Amino acid sequence: MGRYSRILALGTALCAFTSTAAMADLVKIGVLAPLTGPTASDGEEFVRGAQLAAKEANESGGIAGHTFEVVTADVVDHSAANVTSAVERLLGTEGVHIILTGYASLSMFEVELMAEANMPYIAAGPSPQFAAIVSGDPGAYDCCWSFTADFKGYETDVTPTIEALSAAGHFPLNNKTVAIISSDNPYSKTISEGMKTAFGDAGWTVTVDELVPFGPVGDWRPILAKVRENPPDVVINTDYIPSNAALFTNQFREDPTDSVVFLQYAPLVPEFVELTKENSNGVLYNAIGATLDVDAWPRGQEVARKYKDEYGVASGAYGTGLYEMTTVYFEALEKVGDPTDHEAIGKAIGETKRPITSGFLEFDPATHVARQGNDHVPVTFFQIQDGAGVMISPEKFKSGDFKKPVWMSE
């Protein structure tokens, strides 16, 4: 069975984990996910993470007298029409009392729909867009919470990290130049614009500044030709679609420049390494919300192990993330007792303060966004080494050290 067929099967099967005796107390957990389209590999993780948590809860006798079933709706390409249709489907499904997603729309407009319906909603989409909606009137959005922490570190932390690696002797910065390529969507574009500001403030020069249309990219060679005209110290691509980032990496390696390569998010998805194989060894990336599968963070190791034991593959950020979102809901339900009391459930979710796979979860009451920082949810930096991501920063969580990529000169 092909990958997309497997994902569609997940969506249509509705992933029930209930006993006949408990059907009267059944709560449905809605999951918005790209079950088809270019980010379907992420969508598969969304569903699996929620499935695993629901299965565990049901096997332990349920929560507050309730058992659980996961139901899904396909957001396909994250367009407004497809996200709206998927949201309406879940809001119209009897028994749905919580909706979760890794990301649905990239503008987070669906938060307004959830607030109108008073539906508890936990999302891990772009936090700047989420905060912009909620911060005007936080009390009107007590239903809705951003599992993804503040994105500011995506914009600001790459520059000092690159400079620190150079200062440690891993590579020279010949002229402090950077090529920045992005995709025309709110996630990628917001981050790339912030990066440009951060690099400029630190005295760097942007040699290439390219924005490609959102969606599948068939050929990066024209842009890479521009990069090679004046080889920069650093090449950055913030297109988060794994297949796009993989093609970029493979085509960069056809004639690489003597540059550090940094990619936004995509290498977190197992599909990326499958598509690049050894070509991606040496690539840098970071994450706000990555699983801290390191000795220093037992919660991350525990959930990562559960996921791999259940599905036979390692989780990216979203399998473990949706597992944790579901357990956050379970804790709120245990506190409130009544799944139909959406107002109380939403407020209980917002009171969460505990370790999760990606750090320590606590929400900012002014934005409903998870707090970011080394004592909350850190910005973690990775390098692909021998086909796997090795966490090289921050020091508190690192599992290895930076290795100079083979394409860079000695």
Side-chain angles (χ1 to χ4, degrees), residues 30-284:
V31 176
L32 294 170
L35 302 174
T36 57
T39 57
S41 55
D42 276 348
E44 182 175 30
E45 286 203 4
F46 297 5
V47 178
R48 284 178 165 181
Q51 277 184 285
L52 180 57
K55 177 182 177 182
E56 287 182 353
N58 289 341
E59 289 179 345
S60 66
I63 305 291
H66 303 281
T67 54
F68 306 94
E69 175 185 348
V70 175
V71 297
T72 63
D74 189 2
V75 300
V76 192
D77 57 358
H78 311 283
S79 67
N82 283 322
V83 172
T84 300
S85 176
V87 169
E88 290 175 347
R89 175 184 169 190
L90 291 181
L91 290 177
T93 299
E94 185 178 358
V96 170
H97 294 298
I98 179 73
I99 296 178
L100 312 173
T101 190
Y103 51 95
S105 77
L106 299 182
S107 66
M108 301 303 299
F109 77 86
E110 74 275 9
V111 170
E112 300 282 8
L113 302 179
M114 301 300 179
E116 290 174 10
N118 193 28
M119 175 61 71
Y121 184 51
I122 310 176
S127 59
Q129 285 71 27
F130 189 102
I133 292 169
V134 170
S135 59
D137 187 4
Y141 298 95
D142 280 344
C143 58
C144 301
W145 303 91
S146 173
F147 191 79
T148 298
D150 190 329
F151 269 10
K152 198 64 181 176
Y154 278 150
E155 303 172 28
T156 61
D157 286 18
V158 173
T159 309
T161 298
I162 295 290
E163 291 180 342
L165 289 171
S166 177
H170 293 296
F171 48 81
L173 294 178
N174 297 315
N175 46 25
K176 295 183 76 172
T177 53
V178 57
I180 300 180
I181 301 112
S182 185
S183 172
D184 193 6
N185 66 79
Y187 173 87
S188 301
K189 190 174 179 180
T190 298
I191 292 170
S192 67
E193 291 299 317
M195 284 182 176
K196 282 182 241 178
T197 299
F199 276 103
D201 289 347
W204 288 61
T205 300
V206 177
T207 58
V208 173
D209 182 2
E210 290 283 338
L211 185 69
V212 302
F214 179 57
V217 175
D219 190 4
W220 292 100
R221 292 186 182 95
I223 291 175
L224 286 167
K226 294 180 182 180
V227 172
R228 294 182 183 112
E229 288 175 3
N230 183 17
D233 290 318
V234 180
V235 176
I236 292 174
N237 191 334
T238 65
D239 189 327
Y240 73 91
I241 296 176
S243 57
N244 286 352
L247 181 63
F248 180 86
T249 302
N250 289 334
Q251 292 184 339
F252 171 83
R253 289 298 305 273
E254 291 171 358
D255 184 16
T257 54
D258 190 14
S259 312
V260 175
V261 174
F262 177 91
L263 303 179
Q264 181 66 37
Y265 174 71
L268 268 172
V269 183
E271 177 190 6
F272 174 82
V273 173
E274 293 172 8
L275 293 171
T276 56
K277 298 182 170 58
E278 67 276 0
N279 278 346
S280 58
N281 286 330
V283 165
L284 288 178

Side-chain angles (χ1 to χ4, degrees), residues 9-37:
L10 282 169
T12 56
L14 299 182
C15 315
F17 296 102
T18 60
S19 66
T20 303
M23 287 299 287
D25 298 314
L26 178 67
V27 172
K28 294 178 181 177
I29 299 169
V31 176
L32 294 170
L35 302 174
T36 57

